Amino acid sequence: MKTFALLALAALPAFAQAAGKGKTEVTWYGHAAFVVKTPGGTTLAIDPWINNPANKDKGAIEKIQKLDYILISHGHSDHVGDTVALQKRTNAKIVAAFELGGQLAAAGVPKEAAGFETLANAGGVLKLTDEVTVALVQAVHSSGFQAAENGPILYGGAPIGFVIQIKGGPTLYHTGDTAYFGEMKRIGERFHPSVMLACIGGHFTMDPTDAAIAARDAGVKTVVPMHYGTFPVLLGTPEQLGKALQASAPRAKMMQLQIGETRTF
Ligand SMILES: [Zn+2]
């Protein structure tokens, strides 16, 4: 039996073995913060509020040494998060709404990292590398930016979500902060996302009931809940999402990550 298994493995075409090795790693840091590593080695952070109150690993941010891109869905401090410090350390480029990029440049991010190449708006499809394409899509939310706590609220452009297409890997749809909206169906039809990183906390965003409808409309197979439990008002739970998926999107499965956990796709 063992010999047979080994022979079967040896008979696999070389490309299939290589594809097996080339996994995409997704790490959740709590709230809406993720780091994605592609098989080709491109590293993207999304809404990197690494030092959020739910993340007990206060050294987590120091462990992030390489980033090629930082994707920021909107200007709120719980999403811009540790962008300025991480950008300084890694020299990553900023992918965000045009106006938010401008505000970040004024707040200390070098202009070379926040330029026309990577600042865009909903509707934009950016080919970041031969392997990674990021589409900026609509989100129903707000996007004020404060450079300092208690400072004036500055215009951060429109809030957005991201659809990250990885060659030979998953297509990840990070919803950003958003209410449910009917165009999620269209996002599904155009980009065929396989995994939705979905806000479920309610109050500022979708709750579990609407997140399940969103998963159905976008046609995803896997839903990773995020943006819950960080603040007392974010009452939606993964348990509620699991039930709502059974009712509204039975083909989609929930994948609940622990803070600091990495899953491969
Ligand atoms: Zn927000």
Side-chain angles (χ1 to χ4, degrees):
M1 200 55 190
K2 235 181 199 170
T3 318
F4 175 75
L6 278 173
L7 282 173
L9 191 65
L12 271 179
F15 71 84
Q17 289 183 34
K21 265 187 241 163
K23 294 280 188 182
T24 298
E25 292 178 14
V26 176
T27 305
W28 186 48
Y29 290 88
H31 210 56
F34 292 86
V35 169
V36 177
K37 277 187 205 159
T38 71
T42 302
T43 309
L44 313 117
I46 313 164
D47 287 355
W49 192 29
I50 307 298
N51 264 330
N52 65 71
N55 187 359
K56 301 288 174 261
D57 180 4
K58 295 305 166 204
I61 191 166
E62 305 302 327
K63 293 173 200 156
I64 301 172
Q65 291 295 334
K66 179 193 180 272
L67 287 176
D68 299 299
Y69 298 94
I70 300 173
L71 284 54
I72 310 165
S73 63
H74 63 289
H76 296 162
S77 59
D78 54 325
H79 295 258
V80 173
D82 302 301
T83 291
V84 175
L86 284 169
Q87 196 286 328
K88 197 173 270 182
R89 182 184 315 146
T90 62
N91 207 25
K93 293 206 161 131
I94 305 292
V95 179
F98 183 74
E99 292 83 355
L100 178 58
Q103 300 291 9
L104 286 167
V109 168
K111 277 210 171 106
E112 312 83 73
F116 275 111
E117 199 189 320
T118 54
L119 300 183
N121 219 322
V125 180
L126 315 182
K127 193 171 191 291
L128 298 183
T129 68
D130 283 343
E131 189 192 24
V132 182
T133 300
V134 174
L136 280 60
V137 298
Q138 180 189 1
V140 176
H141 195 62
S142 55
S143 183
F145 173 74
Q146 283 174 294
E149 213 175 325
N150 304 320
I153 296 175
L154 307 168
Y155 181 61
I160 50 177
F162 298 106
V163 181
I164 304 163
Q165 294 175 292
I166 299 161
K167 212 182 254 178
T171 295
L172 309 168
Y173 174 19
H174 186 294
T175 61
D177 275 7
T178 188
Y180 168 79
F181 55 93
E183 292 297 308
M184 283 178 180
K185 194 157 190 263
R186 156 91 181 115
I187 292 170
E189 284 165 1
R190 171 150 181 193
F191 299 108
H192 307 288
S194 49
V195 181
M196 180 181 253
L197 312 175
C199 50
I200 66 155
H203 197 91
F204 299 110
T205 73
M206 297 191 287
D207 63 7
T209 303
D210 274 355
I213 305 283
R216 180 198 70 193
D217 282 10
V220 298
K221 292 193 195 86
T222 305
V223 185
V224 176
M226 65 163 181
H227 210 276
Y228 66 90
T230 331
F231 315 121
V233 292
L234 305 185
L235 294 173
T237 65
E239 291 71 28
Q240 291 167 351
L241 176 66
K243 281 185 193 148
L245 285 172
Q246 277 172 20
S248 303
R251 285 196 206 154
K253 297 275 169 284
M254 180 172 70
M255 181 188 280
Q256 187 184 352
L257 270 64
Q258 301 305 311
I259 293 172
E261 187 180 357
T262 301
R263 293 286 185 107
T264 55
F265 294 90

